[in-house]
Amino acid sequence: MALAKQATKAVRIDFKKEDTVKVISGRDKGKTGRVLRVDHETGKVLVEHVMMIKRHTRPNPAKQIKGGIAERESPIQASNVMIVCPGCGKTVRVAHHVDHVAGGKTRRVRVCRKCNQTLDKK
């Protein structure tokens, strides 16, 4: 009997591409890296030089792919990483503030809970 796959609710992740994060648990605990990709459906992030796996690939001359054993990143659970504040240089939790921009518009920005510096690039 095949079980029907249930639709999972998308996980709220406060990381964005190009953020610097630090791994707080798992086999790569203590490593820091840049976020390459965020997957909201699975709740995972791909971090540069973290969770490296060996991938055995077959050569494909049509796509200019060399065969052999290649090392690449594997996604890591978003709950196992924390964002590093560019201001204070520490791992922090993220707060959200509403900024009032010229023209009467508002903008929601991510803020460091320790030093109150914005984490979003303008």
Side-chain angles (χ1 to χ4, degrees), residues 15-93:
F15 306 120
K16 290 183 181 177
K17 195 174 172 181
E18 301 298 319
D19 279 344
T20 304
V21 293
K22 185 174 186 176
V23 181
I24 57 170
S25 67
R27 74 173 197 208
D28 289 327
K29 182 178 179 178
K31 286 187 181 179
T32 58
R34 230 169 14 103
V35 174
L36 303 174
R37 192 175 69 222
V38 178
D39 190 359
H40 294 279
E41 268 74 57
T42 59
K44 295 191 174 198
V45 291
L46 190 70
V47 182
E48 192 175 40
H49 303 302
V50 173
M51 281 293 286
M52 298 298 285
I53 58 167
K54 296 202 186 295
R55 177 80 183 185
H56 296 260
T57 54
R58 179 176 283 138
N60 188 346
K63 294 182 181 176
Q64 283 83 33
I65 296 173
K66 280 187 173 181
I69 302 170
E71 267 200 305
R72 67 178 205 191
E73 294 92 0
S74 175
I76 187 169
Q77 197 67 34
S79 62
N80 292 344
V81 293
M82 276 183 88
I83 195 161
V84 176
C85 175
C88 55
K90 298 174 184 171
T91 56
V92 292
R93 289 174 295 129

